[in-house]
Amino acid sequence: MATSSPLLRYAESRKNLTGSLCGLAGVGIALTGAAGPLWPLVVGGLYAAGALIAPPERPATPEFAEEGDRLDGVRADFATLRAYLAEVELSATARERLTALDTLVEALLEPGWVTDPEHLHVLARTVRQDIPEAVDTFVRTRWWSRFTSGAEAPEGHLERQLAALHEEATAIATALQEAEAIRQHIHTKYVEGRGN
C-alpha cells in the first residue's frame, strides 16, 4: 500500500493515535465492568473524544536551500513555499488574501523586473521568512484557540499579516511602475529631441 493512501495517512495521524489510546482506556473501563452493556458506546465515545482533542496534522515548514538574495534562488524557494502552502488548511478569507499575495510575488519574481537589491531582499524575506512564519504560527495557534475563550481569532492575525505583506509587495510594484514610466518619458523626450 502506498504511503500516500488516505487510509494509511489517517492510520498514522495524531488524531487516530490519540483516539486509539482513549479507546484503549475505554476497553480498560469495559473490562472492569464499569461500562456495563454500553461498553461499545464508551469505547467509541472515548475514541471520538480523543480524535477531536488531538492536535491537527500540520505540514512541516519548508527548508530553503538558498540564503542569498539571488533572483534564481528566491524563485526556487518560492516554488518550495507554494508546495507547503498547498497543504495548509486556511479560512476562505485568508486563502483569498494569500492567493492575491502569491500572484503579486510571482509577478515581481519574473526575470527582468526586480533589479534593485533592496527590493529583492524584501521579496526574499517575504518568501523565506514572513509568509512561512505567519502561516505556521496560525496553524499552531488555531488548535490552541479552541481552549481559550475570548481570545482574538488566529484567522484575524493571519489576515492582517498577509494584508501588510501584500501592501509591502504592492509598494515594490508601484516603485517599478513609476521607474518604468520615468524611463518611458525620458526615452520619448530623447526620441523627440533627435528630430530637432
Side-chain angles (χ1 to χ4, degrees):
M1 184 178 284
T3 56
S4 62
S5 161
L7 185 58
L8 186 56
R9 272 198 311 255
Y10 181 75
E12 297 172 344
S13 72
R14 293 178 187 171
K15 291 190 172 295
N16 183 48
L17 295 176
T18 306
S20 296
L21 285 174
C22 291
L24 281 174
V27 170
I29 292 170
L31 290 176
T32 64
L38 299 176
W39 70 267
L41 292 175
V42 171
V43 172
L46 285 173
Y47 174 86
L52 286 173
I53 65 166
E57 297 294 322
R58 64 180 183 82
T61 46
E63 293 186 23
F64 301 112
E66 290 282 333
E67 291 197 7
D69 291 343
R70 290 186 21 234
L71 181 61
D72 290 341
V74 177
R75 286 172 54 84
D77 289 344
F78 183 59
T80 303
L81 175 65
R82 281 179 144 178
Y84 162 71
L85 295 174
E87 297 179 29
V88 178
E89 289 181 39
L90 298 174
S91 67
T93 307
R95 181 61 70 184
E96 186 178 304
R97 288 188 189 232
L98 187 61
T99 301
L101 177 60
D102 178 89
T103 303
L104 182 55
V105 170
E106 179 185 28
L108 290 170
L109 289 177
E110 284 295 318
W113 286 112
V114 176
T115 55
D116 183 341
E118 182 60 33
H119 289 165
L120 190 55
H121 174 73
V122 169
L123 290 172
R125 185 184 63 213
T126 299
V127 167
R128 295 178 179 143
Q129 179 183 344
D130 296 336
I131 296 174
E133 189 171 324
V135 171
D136 188 57
T137 303
F138 161 74
V139 171
R140 291 171 183 259
T141 308
R142 180 180 57 184
W143 182 72
W144 287 106
S145 68
R146 297 187 305 178
F147 304 109
T148 315
S149 60
E152 185 176 353
E155 287 84 359
H157 282 287
L158 178 62
E159 290 166 15
R160 286 175 29 213
Q161 291 167 10
L162 293 174
L165 291 171
H166 190 275
E167 196 173 302
E168 193 175 48
T170 301
I172 294 173
T174 302
L176 290 173
Q177 182 182 12
E178 289 171 358
E180 290 301 319
I182 291 170
R183 183 175 164 213
Q184 184 181 35
H185 179 72
I186 290 171
H187 190 65
T188 300
K189 290 288 187 188
Y190 165 72
V191 171
E192 289 174 348
R194 282 192 315 199
N196 295 337

